[in-house]
Amino acid sequence: MVIHTSEFVISNTQISKCPEPNRPEFAFIGRSNVGKSSLINMLVGRKEMARTSSKPGKTQTINHYIINQSWYLVDLPGYGYAGVSRTDREGWGKMIENYFRKRENLFCTFILIDSRLTPQKKDLEFIQWMGELNLPIAILFTKTDKPKQGELIKSQKKFKEKLLETWEEMPPFFITSAEKKVGRDEVLRFIEDAIETGQ
Ligand code: GTP
Ligand code: MG
């Protein structure tokens, strides 16, 4: 897919204020600082469309962008950031839960996983929860410019083994690096296919 246009639409904390669910939607989620906003910028080919930060907890709201005037891309706030209060975490939980339970035009959610880490409980729990809701997911391994090739292969293998303890088959899986622009074509092709086949 060629990205012709990408525009910010709205940022909010309420599902009722999200744009009309009249176009296919793709969401990006993962632990704070995993690289969601950076990856989104890499995919759309813009430096600072989504705000990024070296400090975790930058994205706090549901952010809609419209791509090629035909589909929505959503940058969501990260989970598992210890720096926010319990009340904020509960607020996050409610907002996200509402979003995933109610957003009827959601085609697929990309769950971002830091390729440098061993399988994290928070990620596995989130993936499990999406499975229980019966929502389609794809996994994006992030920051793969960081680990050495051998380490990357090992961490991938570990993650897949862990996931397959509870999942019958691996969801779609992509290796990415916002830094080195790895995975762009593959992820955009996946989105294009999903839109074409209507799922
Ligand atoms: P929150 O909005 O806080 O949940 O974070 P986020 O997941 O949106 O992460 P963000 O894109 O803001 O990036 C967090 C940090 O990771 C920044 O310092 C980025 O420069 C860095 N980063 C993101 N992607 C990559 C990557 O592909 N490679 C490397 N080496 N660093 C990256
Ligand atoms: Mg962010």
Side-chain angles (χ1 to χ4, degrees), residues 33-38 52-53 57-59 143 145-146 178-179:
N33 215 241
V34 71
K36 297 175 291 297
S37 302
S38 305
T52 65
S53 167
K58 177 73 186 169
T59 313
K143 307 190 186 183
D145 54 285
K146 283 273 183 182
E179 188 84 18

Side-chain angles (χ1 to χ4, degrees), residues 42-198:
M42 185 274 270
L43 290 175
V44 302
R46 287 178 58 179
K47 273 217 172 83
E48 286 178 46
M49 185 177 81
R51 298 234 187 97
T52 65
S53 167
S54 54
K55 275 191 252 148
K58 177 73 186 169
T59 313
Q60 296 281 354
T61 50
I62 302 172
N63 298 285
H64 274 81
Y65 299 88
I66 186 160
I67 313 299
N68 291 349
Q69 297 298 330
S70 66
W71 58 277
Y72 287 121
L73 182 159
V74 182
D75 188 13
L76 293 166
Y79 49 79
Y81 171 44
V84 299
S85 68
R86 199 169 138 224
T87 332
D88 282 353
R89 269 206 301 279
E90 282 169 4
W92 180 92
K94 285 210 184 91
M95 173 172 84
I96 293 300
E97 180 165 354
N98 248 324
Y99 173 81
F100 283 115
R101 284 191 192 279
K102 295 191 180 155
R103 198 69 182 153
E104 63 211 65
N105 59 331
L106 189 59
F107 271 45
C108 184
T109 300
F110 293 104
I111 302 178
L112 280 67
I113 305 288
D114 192 326
S115 64
R116 300 168 302 179
L117 306 178
T118 53
Q120 301 286 300
K121 192 162 166 261
K122 285 245 160 57
D123 290 329
L124 297 164
E125 281 173 359
F126 186 79
I127 294 172
Q128 213 53 40
W129 184 72
M130 291 294 279
E132 283 159 23
L133 288 182
N134 244 325
L135 291 171
I137 60 165
I139 306 285
L140 303 181
F141 243 37
T142 66
K143 307 190 186 183
T144 60
D145 54 285
K146 283 273 183 182
K148 294 199 185 94
Q149 191 60 18
E151 286 165 15
L152 179 60
I153 290 166
K154 261 192 227 151
S155 73
Q156 239 184 97
K157 187 164 173 270
K158 261 197 197 156
F159 180 81
K160 288 180 178 172
E161 277 169 4
K162 194 76 197 165
L163 200 63
L164 289 172
E165 285 176 12
T166 51
W167 283 61
E168 263 173 41
E169 55 178 325
M170 251 328 264
F173 180 95
F174 300 93
I175 294 287
T176 71
S177 161
E179 188 84 18
K180 296 268 187 276
K181 301 195 173 27
V182 173
R184 184 170 188 267
D185 292 349
E186 291 80 359
V187 174
L188 289 177
R189 192 171 312 128
F190 175 83
I191 292 174
E192 189 170 29
D193 282 352
I195 294 173
E196 268 174 17
T197 56

Side-chain angles (χ1 to χ4, degrees), residues 26-41:
F26 296 84
F28 291 75
I29 197 160
R31 293 162 72 244
S32 265
N33 215 241
V34 71
K36 297 175 291 297
S37 302
S38 305
L39 192 78
I40 288 170
N41 289 333

